[in-house]
Amino acid sequence: MPYALRARRSVRETVSGLPREFWWLWTSTLVNRLGAFVATFMALYLTLDRGYSATYAGLVAALHGLGGVVSSLGGGVMTDRLGRRPTLLIAQSSTAASVALLGFVRDPVAIAGVAFLVGMASNASRPAVQAMMADIVRPEDRIRAFSLNYWAINLGFAVSSMAAGFIAEVSYRAGFLIEAGMTMVCAVLVFLRLPESKPTATVTEAAAPRDASVSLRTVLRDGPFMSVVGLSFLVALIFQQGAVGLPVAMGEAGFTPAEYGMAIAVNGVLIVVLQIPVTRFIQHRDPRRLLVVSSVLAGYGFALTAFAGSLGVIALTVCVWTLAEIVNAPTQTSLVVRLSPVHGRGRYQGMYTMSWSVAALVAPLLSGFVIDRFGAEWLWGLCALVGTVAGVGYAVLMRRVSEEGEKKETDKDKDEDEDEGRDQEETRTADGVLGVADGVSRESRSSGTL
């Protein structure tokens, strides 16, 4: 079969069977990422256009990340209480307003404060998006759906990064306004095309009465899920090095910013090209093996940077950990949905999102400290160690989750067998009673007493 026909069939099978609501949500994600400007060029805007120091730019970036940490939990609670659709509308409208305002404020304190608000507003929509996706997509299609959503995020980011460079040469303010406008388009799409997907109270209570009492305390007490959050934090620390540790290390090694840009561009290109075919390969594979392999591959992919002396070799290391990212992201998100009770999906997704937000805060501090104190080689060795720990952690956790799942299935089958046995016993008893009654009746008729 010609390659073009195989590719066309592969794409058709990957995108088929998903509900219409998913594709509107997917479109909203793509439009949102196409307009991403602040996250890409905020540091350049503050240092080159506004003339502030790198230290101040780092402080603003940290406040933006801190806002994301706060809103991860807040957005999760809103998703469960208000619903997925209202949370998306509030978050996206607030993001549009705060991003537009950020393009006009000039006072350093005001810029820092608005950046914090932008971080809060933009991150609040993530638990709602993930919860809505879990609501509307069948369990067997979730890895495929999360992969397609991740593909849209990276496609939009790749395009917006290139476009933002040209926009910045003309006007940084125009970039803020364009992002605000496209974020508002997302809110309009949600308002016009996406119905509320939150399960109704009656259905939830009938299916799982305990879900109605889900709170943040419930999430924190959920041992297996919090283990996933902790392991997710470790994996996120590794992947964050592509944006924080790698450019610093390359700069110290004599590479130019343009060379770093070419190296990191490999990440986005590979995700856009490989996400769909890799999704077809992994969607029916053992998630435990996928999480273990992707964690170890990420750690050692970055560790190989210690031996990279040229741009080409660095690009090869990027290929290694990008493949780990492609496999890890949808598999891990699907696992979060699997461990989340239906009525608490928002809170659970919020806690999971927070692990990445906290990693985005910790990673710059950690990488800077290690590079300054010990050198970049120690940072890459630490990535290998963290990846190994995460891989072992996933192996142990998934075995425990699988055993608990099998135990639940066994208990369920046992209960069903007991119910069936009771039904058969009742049937035999009833047949015996009817048989005795029928015998008495026949005997009575024959004796003429009736």
Side-chain angles (χ1 to χ4, degrees), residues 150 232-245 264 267 294-295 297-299 302 320-329 332 356 359 363 383:
Y150 192 66
S232 170
F233 170 74
L234 294 179
V235 173
L237 277 180
I238 299 174
F239 286 127
Q240 286 291 331
Q241 299 310 319
V244 293
I264 202 64
N267 173 256
S294 62
S295 300
L297 198 61
F302 275 100
V320 175
W321 56 260
T322 297
L323 182 60
E325 184 180 359
I326 291 172
V327 173
N328 182 272
Q332 189 164 243
W356 284 81
C383 286

Side-chain angles (χ1 to χ4, degrees), residues 253-308:
F255 292 97
T256 66
E259 288 174 319
Y260 165 72
M262 287 188 287
I264 202 64
V266 174
N267 173 256
V269 172
L270 280 181
I271 290 176
V272 171
V273 173
L274 296 181
Q275 186 71 65
I276 291 178
V278 171
T279 296
R280 282 176 50 79
F281 178 77
I282 69 173
Q283 61 181 340
H284 299 303
R285 305 282 174 173
D286 181 7
R288 177 174 63 183
R289 184 173 300 173
L290 294 175
L291 290 170
V292 171
V293 171
S294 62
S295 300
V296 174
L297 198 61
Y300 284 88
F302 275 100
L304 290 174
T305 311
F307 306 98

Side-chain angles (χ1 to χ4, degrees), residues 5 79 136 175 217 227 238 248 296 304 326 362 412-413 442:
L5 291 178
T79 298
I136 62 181
R217 182 177 298 178
S227 298
I238 299 174
V248 174
V296 174
L304 290 174
I326 291 172
V362 174
K412 180 180 178 181
D413 293 341
R442 287 196 298 272

